[in-house]
Amino acid sequence: MTRRIIFCIALAGAASLSVGPARGQSYTFLRITDERTLRPDGKGIFFPVSPTMEGDTVVFNQGRCFGCMSLDSIWAANLVTGSLTKLVDVGMNIPGSAMQWNSFESGAVLRKGVVVFIGYDANNKPGLYAVPAAGGAVLRLADTSTAVPGAGVNFTSFEPRMFFHDGTAVVFAAQGPPVAGVYSIRVDGTGLARVADSNTPVNSNTCDVFSVQGYTRPTVSNGLISYYGQTGFDASNGYNGLFLGPLAKTVNPNCAPFPTIANSLQNLPGNSNARFHTRYHYGLLDGTTLYYSADDANGAFAGIFSVPAVASPAGGNSTRIADTNTTLPDYGPVVGTNNFTFATDQGNVLFHSYDSTLKKTSLFLTRAGAAMARIVGTGDPVNGYTVVSVDAPQPGAISGTDFAFAWSRSDFYRELDVARLVSPAVKVTGVSNSASYQNDAISPGEVVTVFGTGLGPSNLGSGFVGAGLDANGLLASQLSGARILFNGFPAPLVYVAANGGAQASAIVPFEVASQTTAMVTAEYQGSVSAPFPIKIAAATPGLYSADNSGHGEGAILNPDGSYNSASNPAVAGSLITVFGTGVGQTNPPGVDGQISSATPPKPSMPVSVTIGGIAVTGADIVYQGDAPQVVEGLYQMNLRIPAGLPSGAAPVVLTVGGAMSVPDLTVAVK
């Protein structure tokens, strides 16, 4: 009977609901994991670093953290299902080797469903590998047993964070002393080739101004490759530049591999000072455009720039994206150099910068058709915490206008989030207790009704998609591509899309128990709402009513299991069963979406109840706690109506930790 009760009472329709407007915001932040999240494999906690993103998938490294006892690994998170998949882990066998992995370099790259990464064996020998983002067999691309093309030696090292791929070709910087350079290989492990290395013949009179011997920092897109090259001197003084050309080009023995698209003999756009010496850091190809970071080596000027990817010397006019003369939103002019670390995708540029005090960090975004915006940084409230600092983005951290980022919180923990552009198609307009429809606050474990637009499929009319269990036997937090999140924590869902997508029912995650305000966001098929703020209280008790209004006759069972009503009253002194929600954290602590056992948890705060103004105590409370064999969050009390209570409608009031349910919910007594 109680299973039927929760799914019936949670479908309560809304009466008139009056709420304040949601705070306008361009981005919503979806929590992926944090330093308090237990790894699904039982091997400690997450310490997330170096995320890369594509569509609804985020890949990140399990960083090494002091005292957290977590082993190095690489994980993929699915934003739609909320699932976490381990791709590789220390102790797993290395393909093509008798050894196991010992560690992984941070900075994996995800493109077209493939993750490329650097891993090390027990002897600290590196290799370059690929694995499907959905999980599966790992493919060895190259390691220390692989011969360097045209060199007669094997690779000895692969440069950390100096590789990239576009889902078809992988380009990487590596060494096999005495040779070092840039190489390419297909993602299926075939076609290893030299692009440019220190064995590449150079005729400086024909190909370039100076003899360039060092090549590194490659990037690839749609058959084009760009990489950095410099002479043997310090780049602050010697010649350096960014080279560009078709990846399939055959090396010309009389010429350098490719001409430069930008080099140290050129001035940077916007540098009004007399040029001292232009110095390039790295470039990223994005379609037909090369974005790059560079500075004037005297330290007075730095920035991010773009240039059309035309394979000819000084291939086009560079355009400034942002530099030390740019007035950044909310920051003002930037002082200092070398602080523009960036990522790009589909013409959108995400970059990291300090403010003029060099004490605050933020992520800024420049996107087509919109002005530069500061998205998140020091001092901002995110998912119930204050941002202390944000990490610089990895080259693959952005996907369209969405991006993944790691940051440090005010409670000294780290968190990994996705910033997703708000969609006008999805909106949260209110959140209320599913029993009482009180909407001033929520509490951990409370079953709530969420109101809005676009919360799920709109073609269901007044119907809905009902709850189900996930692979772990928990109430699922995703139904038909819809999710409800509280401070970034996905909530178990009772249903979505009632009333044409305008209503959903969720259970507030227990993780918000230590916080004071919840930002409630809805997500449907990859579109997300602006956050809707609501207070978090320790308890917000409400009792379910028979007509789903939150008032009048209660949804109460008589001793024989029938519904209590004026035409079917209960005898004074008999047992009744009352259902409610919003009793707060439990003992033992609640687990999101868990089905209650035969001995379910009870509220951690003091509970009292009155019927007709008379306290029900002691043995007259036969049972109180989560409803057995139903999802945690539905509260049940088996109570004895005080003997001698007069016939009629007697108010039933539940008090939890000082918070009271509405006083006009009644039980019929005879």
Side-chain angles (χ1 to χ4, degrees):
M1 180 64 73
T2 53
R3 282 185 181 272
R4 181 184 173 199
I5 286 283
I6 186 171
F7 293 112
C8 290
I9 57 184
L11 289 173
S16 62
L17 187 66
S18 177
V19 297
R23 185 179 70 179
Q25 187 170 318
S26 297
Y27 274 81
T28 289
F29 302 109
L30 308 176
R31 176 187 281 111
I32 304 302
T33 187
D34 62 27
E35 208 176 334
R36 291 180 174 176
T37 306
L38 294 175
R39 285 173 44 161
D41 60 3
K43 297 181 180 180
I45 60 172
F46 281 113
F47 188 81
V49 296
S50 307
T52 178
M53 178 180 181
E54 182 181 52
D56 289 318
T57 302
V58 176
V59 171
F60 62 95
N61 280 74
Q62 162 67 58
R64 302 174 187 177
C65 52
F66 178 77
C68 68
M69 303 301 290
S70 293
L71 299 176
D72 224 354
S73 52
I74 300 177
W75 295 76
N78 186 305
L79 297 180
V80 175
T81 65
S83 63
L84 290 165
T85 301
K86 183 168 61 177
L87 303 181
V88 289
D89 193 5
V90 166
M92 293 174 64
N93 292 329
I94 300 175
S97 170
M99 298 181 122
Q100 297 178 330
W101 271 303
N102 180 58
S103 63
F104 304 97
E105 192 68 53
S106 60
V109 177
L110 166 64
R111 285 294 180 266
K112 294 186 179 179
V114 177
V115 180
V116 175
F117 64 95
I118 292 175
Y120 299 87
D121 66 16
N123 295 324
N124 209 33
K125 290 184 177 181
L128 190 68
Y129 304 90
V131 62
V138 179
L139 176 67
R140 177 178 67 100
L141 300 177
D143 61 15
T144 54
S145 67
T146 304
V148 179
V153 296
N154 288 352
F155 288 114
T156 58
S157 67
F158 299 86
E159 301 301 320
R161 306 195 186 205
M162 292 189 185
F163 63 91
F164 204 75
H165 78 102
D166 61 359
T168 301
V170 182
V171 293
F172 59 97
Q175 296 184 19
V179 67
V182 171
Y183 306 87
S184 69
I185 191 170
R186 299 186 187 95
V187 292
D188 63 3
T190 64
L192 177 64
R194 177 184 69 175
V195 177
D197 62 25
S198 51
N199 279 346
T200 303
V202 174
N203 182 334
S204 61
N205 293 325
T206 303
C207 303
D208 223 320
V209 180
F210 297 99
S211 175
V212 176
Q213 294 295 320
Y215 300 102
T216 186
R217 304 170 196 167
T219 177
V220 63
S221 178
N222 298 322
L224 284 177
I225 183 173
S226 174
Y227 52 89
Y228 171 82
Q230 69 180 64
T231 63
F233 305 103
D234 183 353
S236 299
N237 297 292
Y239 179 80
N240 71 102
L242 296 172
F243 294 77
L244 175 76
L247 183 59
K249 178 179 178 179
T250 302
V251 174
N252 183 343
N254 298 315
C255 186
F258 305 113
T260 57
I261 191 170
N263 62 57
S264 54
L265 301 182
Q266 300 167 336
N267 202 5
L268 294 171
N271 187 8
S272 58
N273 300 320
R275 180 180 63 87
F276 176 74
H277 184 84
T278 300
R279 177 175 55 184
Y280 295 85
H281 302 296
Y282 69 99
L284 289 176
L285 278 169
D286 181 17
T288 58
T289 302
L290 176 68
Y291 295 85
Y292 64 90
S293 172
D295 69 356
D296 196 333
N298 64 6
F301 183 80
I304 303 167
F305 310 90
S306 68
V307 62
V310 179
S312 61
N317 295 321
S318 291
T319 300
R320 177 181 63 175
I321 304 298
D323 61 30
T324 47
N325 293 329
T326 302
T327 299
L328 298 176
D330 300 327
Y331 260 35
V334 175
V335 176
T337 59
N338 299 336
N339 59 350
F340 290 107
T341 303
F342 74 96
T344 182
D345 186 54
Q346 301 177 38
N348 305 296
V349 181
L350 175 74
F351 66 92
H352 178 269
S353 184
Y354 292 89
D355 72 344
S356 58
T357 68
L358 303 181
K359 295 180 180 179
K360 297 181 179 179
T361 58
S362 288
L363 293 174
F364 295 83
L365 183 71
T366 297
R367 58 189 179 94
M372 179 188 298
R374 177 180 174 274
I375 306 301
V376 62
T378 303
D380 292 340
V382 174
N383 293 334
Y385 299 97
T386 300
V387 176
V388 174
S389 64
V390 292
D391 292 1
Q394 296 297 304
I398 187 170
S399 178
T401 55
D402 301 339
F403 62 89
F405 67 104
W407 56 287
S408 297
R409 305 189 315 207
S410 51
D411 64 350
F412 306 106
Y413 287 94
R414 287 180 59 79
E415 182 168 318
L416 172 63
D417 283 48
V418 163
R420 179 153 277 179
L421 194 65
V422 165
S423 169
V426 183
K427 188 176 183 180
V428 175
T429 58
V431 181
S432 67
N433 185 295
S434 66
S436 68
Y437 287 99
Q438 297 293 102
N439 58 19
D440 54 339
I442 59 173
S443 60
E446 178 185 358
V447 184
V448 296
T449 303
V450 180
F451 300 91
T453 56
L455 303 181
S458 60
N459 58 358
L460 299 174
S462 59
F464 62 94
V465 179
L469 300 182
D470 63 18
N472 298 314
L474 304 176
L475 196 69
S477 59
Q478 184 270 136
L479 294 175
S480 295
R483 297 199 302 169
I484 305 292
L485 301 103
F486 294 76
N487 282 346
F489 293 107
L493 296 176
V494 179
Y495 69 84
V496 294
N499 300 326
Q503 190 172 316
S505 181
I507 302 175
V508 179
F510 287 100
E511 286 88 348
V512 305
S514 62
Q515 299 172 323
T516 58
T517 301
M519 292 296 177
V520 185
T521 54
E523 180 180 13
Y524 178 58
Q525 300 291 3
S527 297
V528 296
S529 71
F532 179 88
I534 190 168
K535 294 179 180 178
I536 299 174
T540 51
L543 298 176
Y544 287 99
S545 64
D547 63 359
N548 297 326
S549 69
H551 306 274
E553 289 185 345
I556 296 171
L557 300 181
N558 287 332
D560 61 359
S562 63
Y563 287 101
N564 179 270
S565 66
S567 61
N568 187 32
V571 176
S574 66
L575 285 174
I576 57 172
T577 302
V578 178
F579 298 94
T581 191
V583 298
Q585 185 58 277
T586 60
N587 184 22
V591 176
D592 295 339
Q594 182 165 280
I595 305 302
S596 297
S597 64
T599 55
K602 302 184 185 307
S604 60
M605 290 178 289
V607 175
S608 62
V609 64
T610 61
I611 299 179
I614 300 173
V616 180
T617 61
D620 288 335
I621 302 179
V622 177
Y623 173 82
Q624 64 94 10
D626 280 340
Q629 304 303 313
V630 183
V631 66
E632 292 185 9
L634 179 67
Y635 180 68
Q636 176 179 328
M637 294 190 81
N638 298 343
L639 306 168
R640 194 173 301 280
I641 299 174
L645 199 67
S647 298
V652 182
V653 178
L654 173 67
T655 301
V656 182
M660 299 174 59
S661 63
V662 295
D664 59 350
L665 186 129
T666 61
V667 59
V669 181
K670 67 177 179 181

